[in-house]
Amino acid sequence: MKRTIIPARSAITIELSKGQRCRVINTEGGQVVDTWAFNPYDFNECLSMEHSRSAIYRLLFRPGDVLVSNKFQPMLTLTDDTSPGFHDTLHAACSAGSNRFYGSDQIFPNCQDNLQKQLGLRGQTINTIPCPWNLFEHALIGDRTELKDEISAAAPEDYVELEARMDLVMIFSACPSLVGKISGTSARGAAIGFL
Ligand SMILES: [Zn+2]
């Protein structure tokens, strides 16, 4: 399987044609990967966590689930998942603002800037940052409403397999954030495998 590396703290962009599959591989384990998908013909249409939660009626998605765009169009099928299945859909991407808010002394790099840089390389700008699909992020709901951070439980080489339901531009950011130790105490890379 051909692999493209997502370097630690960095993001990459890939294009998927309708029907094509890829795997997001947690090469070293324990690494959160912020994931976005856009309609290549209209970047105003993007993968939406709030629309997908409403479509699937769960906070976390499982193999067989079809995630939708902010126009309720099918975008991605989660076809396989070898990880423990925690892929947060609630947290905003880390950003300079969030790092300052939480008192982190590591402001840059961050996933929001990584996304905007990748879009900029394609001549695209967006006015609001969609909530990412935080692959491998183990955020728990406690006491009915409380949100808790746990260290990612993904093992080395665990992967999530996705099938494009429409042509897509996808951006993946190996999250550099150390806030909440979501990726443990160090930021690592990941990889995309093409099937
Ligand atoms: Zn991040």
Side-chain angles (χ1 to χ4, degrees), residues 23-97:
R23 288 180 180 172
V24 186
I25 304 162
N26 213 311
T27 43
E28 295 175 65
Q31 176 60 43
V32 171
V33 180
D34 286 40
T35 298
W36 288 273
F38 295 88
N39 176 346
Y41 315 112
D42 174 9
F43 274 72
N44 291 313
E45 184 171 19
C46 61
L47 181 67
S48 167
M49 291 299 98
E50 57 268 43
H51 292 75
S52 294
R53 290 192 301 265
S54 291
I56 295 164
Y57 261 78
R58 274 199 302 277
L59 298 181
L60 300 176
F61 309 137
R62 303 172 185 164
D65 286 343
V66 178
L67 283 66
V68 300
S69 72
N70 53 350
K71 297 182 178 174
F72 270 106
Q73 293 297 318
M75 272 200 140
L76 282 173
T77 303
L78 172 55
T79 49
D80 196 6
D81 182 5
T82 67
S83 82
F86 292 98
H87 308 290
D88 171 67
T89 69
L90 298 169
H91 277 297
C94 69
S95 62

Side-chain angles (χ1 to χ4, degrees), residues 34 93-94 110-112 173-177 182:
D34 286 40
C94 69
N110 58 66
C111 290
Q112 181 170 310
S173 175
C175 182
S177 177
I182 56 172

